[in-house]
Amino acid sequence: MAPQQDEARQVIARIAAERQAPFIDVDRDYRFATTDRSLNGQALKIWQETEDLPANTIEDAWGTHSNPARITIPLLGLHQVDNAVTAYAALDAFQKIALPVDHQAFQDGFAKTVWPGRFEVLSPDPTIIVDCAHNRDSAARLRQTLLEYFPDRRAILVFGASEDKDIAGMLEELAPVTAQVILTRSFHPRAAEPDQLASQAQLIGVSARIVAEVADAMEVALQSIRENEIILATGSIFIATAVREAWLARNGITIATA
């Protein structure tokens, strides 16, 4: 179990107990620290807090405080560190009760992880980022990650969302790191119309302009970007995908399809 809010944690712990399933709580049973961080990825060390483990939990084979496991991941943000440690814990449990996995294989697997659209830096100059945040919580994490990597820069926000999402909540989370907002619409049939997005933005006092086509919205953002600003496209996986494809097409890069 990854770090959770207490309400969710209690439900997961209860069901594990009912099923008599081994219960590994990453927030309790593991310790980790980020040792290096850049736009190319993060390095971290992980060790198991054996003193606090239940008696029937298998002890870690090689991740101890004196000799922690070390991995690197290309993904950015503190939430991706949580994800990586949780994956590490699951793989470690698996390799001790099923098929042993060499430590080098762990390191290689994490280092080669690819997850498009998750705080993906499409371009360093101008800085263009796409992210699949599509609810208030993920928008809050996105804001935190922006502040981690770009504390002195504000974003031109290219935003679109599905009509059933918390549009005002997402915009409210991102407003503190936003210089201007461009509202657009993805190809998905459930995508909210820009006018609907604009009415939600007005509810929280966020001014925005509408550019209906995603590729056009990107061009407007590129034309208006100033020094110390970045372009951030988010609100749904479909917006992230559309902006990613528009940027690659603009640079003459074709995406292979099956």
Side-chain angles (χ1 to χ4, degrees):
M1 184 186 72
Q4 300 285 336
Q5 293 187 6
D6 189 57
E7 183 179 6
R9 183 195 174 283
Q10 289 181 27
V11 173
I12 296 169
R14 174 177 56 78
I15 293 174
E18 290 172 357
R19 301 289 194 276
Q20 297 184 336
F23 179 55
I24 299 172
D25 181 347
V26 167
D27 211 22
R28 175 194 66 193
D29 301 333
Y30 282 82
R31 297 292 179 267
F32 51 91
T34 303
T35 59
D36 190 33
R37 181 181 65 193
S38 73
L39 288 178
N40 294 318
Q42 305 180 84
L44 54 147
K45 59 182 180 180
I46 308 167
W47 64 97
Q48 203 166 14
E49 194 68 283
T50 53
E51 299 86 350
D52 298 333
L53 288 177
N56 63 346
T57 301
I58 302 169
E59 291 188 356
D60 188 17
W62 23 258
T64 63
H65 194 301
S66 58
N67 184 31
R70 296 180 183 272
I71 63 172
T72 60
I73 55 173
L75 307 178
L76 307 181
L78 290 174
H79 59 293
Q80 296 294 4
V81 173
D82 285 344
N83 289 340
V85 177
T86 304
Y88 170 93
L91 289 167
D92 191 33
F94 167 80
Q95 67 99 14
K96 283 179 283 193
I97 64 174
L99 180 67
V101 181
D102 182 76
H103 189 197
Q104 187 61 49
F106 273 64
Q107 293 178 316
D108 291 345
F110 279 108
K112 294 175 182 177
T113 301
V114 177
W115 202 354
R118 268 66 179 183
F119 205 82
E120 181 182 7
V121 182
L122 295 181
S123 167
D125 186 19
T127 303
I128 302 172
I129 297 167
V130 295
D131 191 271
C132 293
H134 60 276
N135 55 42
R136 183 161 194 154
D137 182 66
S138 57
R141 289 176 180 267
L142 174 55
R143 184 190 71 245
Q144 292 166 359
T145 305
L146 283 169
L147 291 172
E148 285 176 50
Y149 288 92
F150 304 102
D152 300 320
R153 300 172 71 178
R154 289 166 65 81
I156 297 176
L157 180 63
V158 178
F159 184 88
S162 296
E163 57 188 3
D164 60 339
K165 299 299 183 180
D166 182 3
I167 295 165
M170 287 189 281
L171 290 172
E172 193 167 23
E173 292 292 347
L174 294 170
V177 293
T178 298
Q180 61 172 293
V181 180
I182 302 172
L183 301 175
T184 189
R185 187 188 191 282
S186 76
F187 56 86
H188 195 275
R190 287 195 297 108
E193 295 295 337
D195 288 343
Q196 181 183 351
L197 299 175
S199 65
Q200 291 293 309
Q202 288 176 353
L203 290 176
I204 58 170
V206 172
S207 60
R209 63 189 298 183
I210 292 174
V211 183
E213 296 294 327
V214 173
D216 294 340
M218 273 297 293
E219 290 300 324
V220 170
L222 287 166
Q223 292 168 13
S224 59
I225 191 170
R226 299 177 180 178
E227 188 177 359
N228 290 327
E229 290 183 344
I230 65 174
I231 296 173
L232 170 65
T234 191
S236 79
I237 190 171
F238 307 106
I239 288 294
T241 298
V243 168
R244 192 173 189 272
E245 291 178 350
W247 175 252
L248 293 176
R250 190 179 193 273
N251 289 276
I253 302 171
T254 57
I255 304 171
T257 57

